[in-house]
DNA sequence: TTGTACGCGTTATCAA
DNA sequence: TTGATAACGCGTACAA
């Protein structure tokens, strides 16, 4: 009838206490603030702890201490190398400070993201890392009511009040677009990921328009193609651009993956890059430098961003005050895929 | 003096109970098994819940229910696309069943992995996903003592008793090596990640030797170069092979990243692939098909593995019994980087 | 420095 | 169907 259950002799504080002949309070102190305990008793307690293989019960600890030492993060997807990279650094930094990562992904879906945020809070996340600002105000209200400190990453927008550790997507793309225009390009197209609920992508697109305006050109000239994230979708988008606007001499993509797709499509169509058409990316993930031709792109310090984000969150948990927003610099990586505009 | 703290009016069960004029027990029942509660009282309670914005306290729930609905995973690193991909699917499947992912990474370091395992258990992981079998027996004993069901992924070895959802690394590489040998290659080198504490890498290397033996050749002829994971290290390893064993006609790498490094080094050295030398990878990540020449490799169903692993773990949490190990099939992706051996 | 004792918010048992 | 009430295991004032 009954399962032959293994005897799970999970020891409690009380077990340790009786073995060491002290009170549970002393054991607790030994573990949490060892300096407030006499040296000999501490040794006795630690011995008992090891002997029993004691480890605190998580629920009890969380209940009494009112924190879980757990920090949540909701990212669009781990399959995007930029998030994997940033999150790896984020997690490493958390670990260094005794915090654990609670992770969920939204698949770039706003509604799913909200669910995940609520799930992580329900699971006791002490603080949260979210990607980008764009989000229903209701969610932010929820987070505030629950008292969960929240940090934005991957975006930095001086116009927003919320604390962020990220970079100015719009300014970064604007800088790149200036270089593109400086190469004589005027008929520029942009392949972007969906901009709805995504201020990063939207900012990047705006950056291109900014540069057009600066150059005295009509920002409406920029052809915009929205498509989901992926190499295949990047290829399709490229074909669409060339079909509808064959005069295009430069295609700026809001990320490297779409750009690699564009590169492939160009080759398939017999177009030389950059002689016939220029292509740029964004992020500077590994394939950018491996691509043929090597991709001109915007380098983003993903690891540093992840690390700093973790630090901010750890700070706010300690000091109960969230630091200032931090803008990280991006750099243009000028490589082969951007060249002078071909003569019309 | 005092912080101007926001009034965090986090409501408890008792608050809901008094507002709805019922006992806390009834509220708890309402939330956990609504069918055991009268319809009218249930409505009254639910109204109070919504009105107060009540959400259960996680610590208290975990303490009383003795489970956290959280599943832990320790992977080498998220920056490796294979793990990112598998874990993404793992997390999605967990989410579908109301479970949350607690994630840590070991950086391929056995000692760090042990720390992380203990940390996740301390954070209340109900079950654990680990990569590969290789691990100090002490860790497995710890997990058993704590009663934390553990599943192995990325490996499947019929000789091991522990439950796993993965593939037979050795057999997969053996199959690929057979094809390499069938192309006339005899002087084969292998670039591998460190094999210590890594049965996956070790199995893949062994697979090459197996095929050599099958072909009546001396397995000791295979030159082995161990190097950390990375494109740059793959390049270096390639140079080392060509310097020490210029007769080599095929280089089999235990993963695609090392193989891409080998491809780059070959090009830099003026060697044509596959005319002068063949290169193979393992994993079939995105860059394998993007590489030039396209990389012959072993396709691994990472997403399915992640999904199935999640299912297994969810099952064991429900039924208290871990299912059988599951071997997933791999497939050889024959592409351009493998060709006939050059004439000596 | 150490111990006592209570509170943390739920779940679950047992009566009613 | 509902309500008291006892765990659950730990942290922490407060007292000694």
């Amino acid at each position: 009838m009954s399962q032959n259950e293994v005897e799970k002799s999970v020891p409690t504080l009380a077990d340790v206490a009786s073995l060491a002949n002290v009170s549970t309070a002393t054991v607790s102190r030994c573990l949490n603030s060892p300096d407030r305990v006499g040296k000999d008793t501490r040794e006795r307690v630690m011995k008992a702890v090891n002997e029993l293989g004691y480890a605190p019960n998580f629920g009890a600890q969380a209940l009494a201490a009112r924190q879980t030492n757990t920090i949540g993060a909701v990212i669009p997807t781990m399959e995007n190398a930029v998030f994997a990279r940033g999150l790896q650094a984020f997690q490493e930094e958390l670990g260094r400070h005794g915090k654990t990562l609670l992770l969920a992904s939204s698949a770039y879906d706003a509604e799913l993201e909200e669910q995940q945020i609520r799930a992580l809070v329900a699971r006791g996340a002490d603080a949260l890392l979210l990607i980008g600002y764009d989000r229903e105000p209701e969610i932010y209200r929820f987070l505030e009511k629950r008292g969960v400190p929240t940090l934005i990453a991957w975006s930095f927008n001086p116009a927003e009040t919320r604390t962020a550790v990220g970079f100015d997507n719009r300014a970064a793309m604007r800088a790149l677009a200036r270089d593109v225009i400086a190469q004589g390009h005027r008929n520029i197209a942009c392949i972007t990921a969906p901009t709805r609920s995504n201020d990063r992508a939207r900012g990047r697109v705006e950056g291109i328009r900014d540069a057009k305006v600066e150059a005295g050109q009509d920002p409406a000239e920029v052809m915009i193609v929205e498509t989901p994230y992926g190499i295949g979708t990047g290829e399709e988008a490229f074909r669409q651009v060339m079909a509808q606007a064959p005069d295009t001499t430069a295609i700026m993509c809001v990320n490297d993956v779409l750009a690699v797709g564009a590169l492939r499509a160009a080759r398939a169509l017999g177009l030389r890059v950059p002689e016939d058409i220029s292509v740029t990316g964004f992020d500077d993930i590994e394939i950018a430098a491996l691509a043929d031709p090597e991709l001109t792109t915007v380098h983003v310090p993903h690891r540093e961003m992840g690390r700093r984000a973790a630090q901010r969150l750890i700070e706010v948990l300690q000091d109960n005050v969230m630091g200032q927003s931090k803008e990280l610099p991006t750099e243009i990586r000028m490589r082969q895929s951007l060249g002078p505009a071909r003569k019309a």
Side-chain angles (χ1 to χ4, degrees), chain A residues 75-84 229 257:
Chain A
I75 59 171
T77 170
M78 302 171 225
E79 293 197 49
N80 185 329
V82 303
F83 297 119
Y229 179 82
V257 170

Side-chain angles (χ1 to χ4, degrees), chain A residues 269-311:
Chain A
L269 293 177
L271 294 171
R272 293 163 304 163
V273 178
E275 292 82 358
D276 297 323
I277 189 156
S278 287
V279 173
T280 65
F282 200 112
D283 287 335
D284 194 27
I285 61 177
E286 220 157 35
I287 53 168
L290 293 176
D292 181 26
E294 294 175 11
L295 191 62
T296 290
T297 189
V298 176
H299 175 77
V300 175
H302 297 294
R303 292 195 186 79
E304 189 188 352
M305 191 161 52
R307 201 163 43 75
R308 279 181 183 274
Q311 291 168 349

Side-chain angles (χ1 to χ4, degrees), chain A residues 27-89:
Chain A
V27 179
S28 178
R29 271 190 293 258
C30 252
L31 267 25
N32 299 314
S33 35
D35 40 320
R36 302 178 57 91
V37 165
K39 189 187 169 192
D40 44 347
T41 49
R42 180 177 26 187
E43 283 171 0
R44 199 148 32 94
V45 170
M46 289 322 237
K47 184 157 160 276
V49 166
N50 290 325
E51 209 160 305
L52 294 172
Y54 167 80
N57 173 286
F58 176 68
Q61 200 167 35
L63 178 56
R66 311 179 141 282
Q67 64 166 353
T68 61
N69 288 316
T70 279
I71 291 180
V74 182
I75 59 171
T77 170
M78 302 171 225
E79 293 197 49
N80 185 329
V82 303
F83 297 119
R85 186 178 283 188
L87 215 68
Q88 175 66 30

Side-chain angles (χ1 to χ4, degrees), chain A residues 61-342:
Chain A
Q61 200 167 35
L63 178 56
R66 311 179 141 282
Q67 64 166 353
T68 61
N69 288 316
T70 279
I71 291 180
V74 182
I75 59 171
T77 170
M78 302 171 225
E79 293 197 49
N80 185 329
V82 303
F83 297 119
R85 186 178 283 188
L87 215 68
Q88 175 66 30
F90 183 73
Q91 187 263 314
E92 284 172 7
E93 187 68 16
L94 290 187
R96 234 168 264 135
H97 294 267
K99 308 289 182 189
T100 305
L101 172 64
L102 216 41
L103 183 63
S105 59
S106 67
Y108 293 97
D109 178 314
E111 198 172 334
L112 201 51
E113 193 206 28
E114 175 170 354
Q115 285 178 32
Q116 304 287 23
I117 290 171
R118 289 180 188 276
L120 295 194
V121 171
R123 161 60 233 249
D126 291 333
L128 234 47
L129 179 76
L130 299 179
I131 307 300
Y133 296 95
D134 269 16
R135 207 156 277 116
E136 294 295 323
E138 184 198 346
I139 303 177
Y140 286 120
R141 279 198 298 273
F142 166 76
L143 258 12
E144 264 162 41
K145 181 168 182 184
R146 300 282 303 206
V148 179
T150 300
L151 180 67
I152 307 300
W154 258 263
S155 276
F156 173 88
N157 183 343
E160 297 266 0
T161 58
R162 216 163 286 283
T163 305
V165 169
F167 53 96
D168 190 328
N169 288 276
R170 182 168 181 167
M173 192 62 131
R174 185 191 305 142
L176 180 59
R178 279 188 196 128
D179 286 348
V180 170
I181 291 172
Q183 294 272 13
H185 294 279
R186 175 170 192 126
N187 295 323
I188 299 174
C190 171
I191 300 179
T192 178
T195 52
R196 183 177 156 73
S197 307
N198 186 334
D199 55 284
R200 288 107 57 212
R202 212 167 46 242
R204 294 176 197 177
V205 174
E206 282 306 317
I208 300 175
R209 294 207 184 96
D210 289 347
K212 289 280 284 187
V213 172
E214 284 177 359
Q217 302 178 9
D218 182 0
E221 285 175 359
V222 180
M223 175 182 178
I224 310 285
V225 177
E226 268 198 31
T227 184
Y229 179 82
I231 290 178
T233 56
E235 294 186 52
E236 282 172 41
F238 183 93
R239 289 170 191 277
Q240 187 183 332
V241 169
M242 297 319 288
Q244 294 181 18
D247 287 344
T248 302
T249 63
I251 299 197
M252 301 187 71
C253 305
V254 301
N255 63 55
D256 289 345
V257 170
L258 289 172
V260 167
L263 249 27
R264 284 171 66 85
R267 173 175 299 189
L269 293 177
L271 294 171
R272 293 163 304 163
V273 178
E275 292 82 358
D276 297 323
I277 189 156
S278 287
V279 173
T280 65
F282 200 112
D283 287 335
D284 194 27
I285 61 177
E286 220 157 35
I287 53 168
L290 293 176
D292 181 26
E294 294 175 11
L295 191 62
T296 290
T297 189
V298 176
H299 175 77
V300 175
H302 297 294
R303 292 195 186 79
E304 189 188 352
M305 191 161 52
R307 201 163 43 75
R308 279 181 183 274
Q311 291 168 349
R312 268 291 190 293
L313 253 12
I314 288 163
E315 283 167 23
V316 71
L317 256 24
Q318 277 185 354
D319 313 338
N320 205 25
V321 50
M322 181 79 86
Q324 293 293 304
S325 287
K326 171 73 183 176
E327 178 177 11
L328 298 176
T330 57
E331 276 175 36
I332 293 173
R333 290 277 192 268
M334 195 55 71
R335 290 197 273 246
Q336 303 163 350
S337 70
L338 171 60
R342 69 170 186 273

